[in-house]
Amino acid sequence: MPESSPETHVIDFRAAEQLLAARDPRGAIQLLDSVITAHPENTAARLLRARAFFLAAQLRPAELEFQIVLEREPDNAFAHFALGRTLERADRSEEALRHFRLAAALEPRPEFLEAARFARETGNGEHDPGDSNHETE
């Protein structure tokens, strides 16, 4: 097996981005594991791995990675939003609302504001995140 180097870790990170874009989160996780083992302080790699865990429906590992990112970057609006989605998906809507609100306060992007507003209005996480019509019948 070839020896790892900073260059191979960059290649693995970029390849993991491509795998995630191609909807192969498990492949991305495998590549990122070695990057994070070699560079545990690399927040970008941890954020990418958290996203991969989320897409692979590995919610507890995703939550832990997002929390590590937020310990290092408490003003990372995307990490708050993604942690909120993770908690929402795990049926922990009260905890999710806190992170949606923080994301919206840090960066008032439409999707962050919508998540904070929807979670507050319904009090649950039972909507399709891709659905723009959240009206109840």
Side-chain angles (χ1 to χ4, degrees):
M1 180 174 219
E3 191 173 314
S4 294
S5 69
E7 293 82 12
T8 60
H9 295 139
V10 170
I11 292 167
D12 286 347
F13 179 85
R14 296 295 178 211
E17 287 179 317
Q18 294 300 314
L19 287 171
L20 203 55
R23 308 301 277 175
D24 181 3
R26 294 183 195 287
I29 292 166
Q30 286 181 326
L31 290 174
L32 291 165
D33 284 345
S34 65
V35 173
I36 291 171
T37 297
H39 305 282
E41 75 290 347
N42 188 316
T43 304
R46 287 192 175 276
L47 187 57
L48 189 62
R49 185 165 72 168
R51 290 177 48 217
F53 280 135
F54 178 83
L55 290 173
Q58 296 180 29
L59 301 181
R60 184 66 181 144
E63 177 184 351
L64 294 173
E65 287 293 340
F66 285 128
Q67 288 174 341
I68 290 170
V69 170
L70 288 169
E71 285 172 12
R72 296 174 182 178
E73 297 178 3
D75 62 344
N76 187 319
F78 176 78
H80 279 290
F81 175 74
L83 178 55
R85 284 287 186 236
T86 303
L87 294 168
E88 178 182 60
R89 197 168 172 190
D91 203 23
R92 294 163 56 193
S93 58
E94 287 299 316
E95 293 172 77
L97 177 57
R98 176 179 178 267
H99 291 284
F100 289 146
R101 287 178 175 165
L102 284 166
L106 289 166
E107 191 175 325
R109 291 172 36 182
E111 63 270 27
F112 297 174
L113 292 168
E114 176 68 17
R117 186 170 28 258
F118 179 76
R120 183 178 62 244
E121 289 172 0
T122 65
N124 69 43
E126 297 184 21
H127 72 283
D128 178 357
D131 182 9
S132 62
N133 182 9
H134 300 301
E135 298 296 319
T136 56
E137 297 181 312

